[in-house]
Amino acid sequence: MYLRICGAAAAALFPVGCGPFIFPPADPGGPAGDEISITTVVASAQFPVAIAFAPDGRAYYTEKETGRIRVLSAAGELLDKPFADVAVVANSERGLLGIALHPDFEENGFVYAFYTASEDGVDSRNFFDALDNRVVRFTADPGGLEA
């Protein structure tokens, strides 16, 4: 009984779809007039799964299946060029899945990412192309990156 209730509660709290076809609820005003507002910030995001906010307001997010780390300016503008791009195997629970900024990001610009590396260096959805899981560090210009 407990599992059934938790499963139903999770389904109600986190309504998601499969693949890149995830749509926000039809009522952007929120359920029962609770003053909840949903605003699409990046309509072209391809399967975003993780986000990290820099102290200056920039947002770094990952795209699971493309292997790209994208950046939104503090004003909410998507930068034209991805911050980084890694070759991923993105089937099942694989791909570019995590991102974190170093606690001293303002000084060192360290951006950490977790992903499943592709053996042949190209993006893939083939289970057998997975080389390993990696945590890598990139260095951003803490004061740069303009929209």
Side-chain angles (χ1 to χ4, degrees):
M1 182 64 153
Y2 176 73
L3 292 176
R4 179 182 295 155
I5 293 171
C6 287
L13 291 174
F14 305 106
V16 297
C18 295
F21 306 105
I22 300 173
F23 301 101
D27 178 13
D34 288 339
E35 307 278 332
I36 295 172
S37 176
I38 297 172
T39 303
T40 300
V41 178
V42 180
S44 62
Q46 296 182 32
F47 211 130
V49 295
I51 192 166
F53 294 93
D56 67 0
R58 285 178 288 166
Y60 291 72
Y61 74 88
T62 64
E63 293 184 343
K64 177 185 185 292
E65 296 179 349
T66 67
R68 293 186 297 228
I69 298 174
R70 303 299 309 262
V71 180
L72 291 169
S73 70
E77 298 175 26
L78 180 64
L79 302 187
D80 292 332
K81 183 178 175 186
F83 167 72
D85 191 348
V86 294
V88 297
V89 174
N91 65 317
S92 188
E93 294 183 15
R94 295 177 175 178
L96 179 54
L97 301 176
I99 190 164
L101 304 183
H102 190 279
D104 293 325
F105 176 80
E106 289 177 294
E107 286 79 39
N108 60 30
F110 292 165
V111 177
Y112 296 89
F114 170 73
Y115 73 101
T116 305
S118 171
E119 185 172 46
D120 58 7
V122 296
D123 292 340
S124 170
R125 293 193 51 78
N126 185 335
F127 180 84
F128 298 105
D129 288 342
L131 180 61
D132 55 25
N133 291 314
R134 297 179 178 180
V135 174
V136 294
R137 182 179 75 195
F138 300 98
T139 304
D141 175 2
L145 297 175
E146 297 189 20

